[in-house]
Every structure is written in structure tokens, then in C-alpha cells.
């Protein structure tokens, strides 16, 4: 841990903001899911794990269980929901709940929804080939 006294896991404010934004939308996610959604160009999800740990130290995030693949599940506390609303520049009343207790069961449905969101937002559009139009057959000239 090469962090500071305030953030002992060494997270940056940018990655902490990414974690807050991701959890503000997804409500419950693994560090890997947050990484793939918010910064897929990062080498790995370590920065997101560290940011979640630093946020937990400040009472903004909590891990109450693990996904079926063994990865820690993170969600926001009520204070974290307020911080996520600020990061997203949205009223906290529009943010929904905190998914309290959902991680205890491994949250298979939430994990599937997250994977769908990641697939939709990170899949580049594919070019399609135009379908050639068929010209109607010319009618014979009256004669």
C-alpha cells in the first residue's frame, strides 16, 4: 500500500469518482465490472479495488459478500449514495437505493444485469452492408 494517511490504498480521486459513478448506476458491482465499465483501457482492476477499499474506509462503500465467482461485491452506503449523486450531478432523490444486503446472496441477477450494461455500453457499433434494392421489372411497352 503506497497511499497516504487519508487514502492508504493509494487510490486517486479520478478512480474514486469512477467507482462512485458506477455504483450510483449499477448499485452493486465487482471491481472488475466497474473497471470494464468505466475504464476498460486500464491494465487491470487493482486501481478500482483500491478505490473501493479507500471509499469503504471513509464510510462511502461497503462489501457485504461475494459474487459466485468469488470476487467481492461492492455497494454504496447512504453517505456514498450522496457522494455518487454529487459526482453524477444528479439529485440524490433520482439515484434509487443502496442495494443493502443484496450481496449476501451473491446477487446473480444483478451480476447478469451488470454484464448486459457493460456489453451494451462497450460494444462498438458494427458496420453493416447495405442491402441492394431490387429494381422492379420494367413493364412491356404498350403496343
Amino acid at each position: 500500500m503506497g497511499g497516504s494517511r487519508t487514502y492508504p490504498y493509494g487510490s486517486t480521486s479520478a478512480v474514486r469518482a469512477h467507482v462512485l459513478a458506477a455504483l450510483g448506476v449499477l448499485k452493486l458491482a465487482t471491481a472488475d465490472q466497474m473497471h470494464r465499465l468505466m475504464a476498460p483501457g486500464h491494465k487491470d482492476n487493482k486501481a478500482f479495488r483500491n478505490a473501493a477499499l479507500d471509499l469503504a474506509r471513509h464510510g462511502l462503500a461497503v462489501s457485504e459478500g461475494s459474487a459466485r465467482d468469488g470476487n467481492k461485491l461492492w455497494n454504496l452506503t447512504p453517505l456514498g449514495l450522496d457522494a455518487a449523486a454529487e459526482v453524477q450531478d444528479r439529485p440524490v432523490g433520482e439515484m434509487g437505493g443502496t442495494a443493502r444486503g443484496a450481496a449476501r446472496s451473491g446477487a446473480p441477477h444483478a451480476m447478469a444485469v451488470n454484464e448486459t450494461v457493460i456489453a451494451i455500453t462497450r460494444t462498438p457499433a458494427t458496420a453493416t452492408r447495405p442491402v441492394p434494392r431490387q429494381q422492379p421489372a420494367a413493364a412491356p411497352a404498350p403496343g
Side-chain angles (χ1 to χ4, degrees):
M1 295 190 298
S4 65
R5 186 178 293 211
T6 307
Y7 298 107
Y9 293 94
S11 65
T12 65
S13 60
V15 178
R16 288 192 303 274
H18 284 323
V19 169
L20 288 169
L23 291 177
V25 173
L26 299 176
K27 303 301 175 207
L28 181 73
T30 65
D32 182 60
Q33 288 174 328
M34 291 184 279
H35 159 249
R36 288 185 289 128
L37 179 65
M38 302 303 289
H42 270 224
K43 178 178 149 185
D44 58 29
N45 65 19
K46 184 176 180 172
F48 286 82
R49 288 191 319 262
N50 289 345
L53 289 166
D54 279 338
L55 290 171
R57 177 175 162 81
H58 291 277
L60 301 175
V62 65
S63 176
E64 297 176 330
S66 298
R68 295 204 170 151
D69 64 3
N71 287 312
K72 261 186 178 185
L73 289 171
W74 293 96
N75 60 302
L76 297 172
T77 64
L79 188 59
L81 190 62
D82 291 340
E86 189 174 317
V87 165
Q88 293 182 11
D89 196 25
R90 294 177 60 193
V92 74
E94 291 180 3
M95 297 293 292
T98 60
R100 198 172 130 217
R104 289 184 210 124
S105 67
H109 177 74
M111 297 300 95
V113 169
N114 292 354
E115 291 301 325
T116 302
V117 169
I118 293 165
I120 290 170
T121 59
R122 292 295 170 204
T123 304
T126 348
T128 59
R129 292 187 188 151
V131 178
R133 291 188 178 181
Q134 300 295 322
Q135 297 297 326

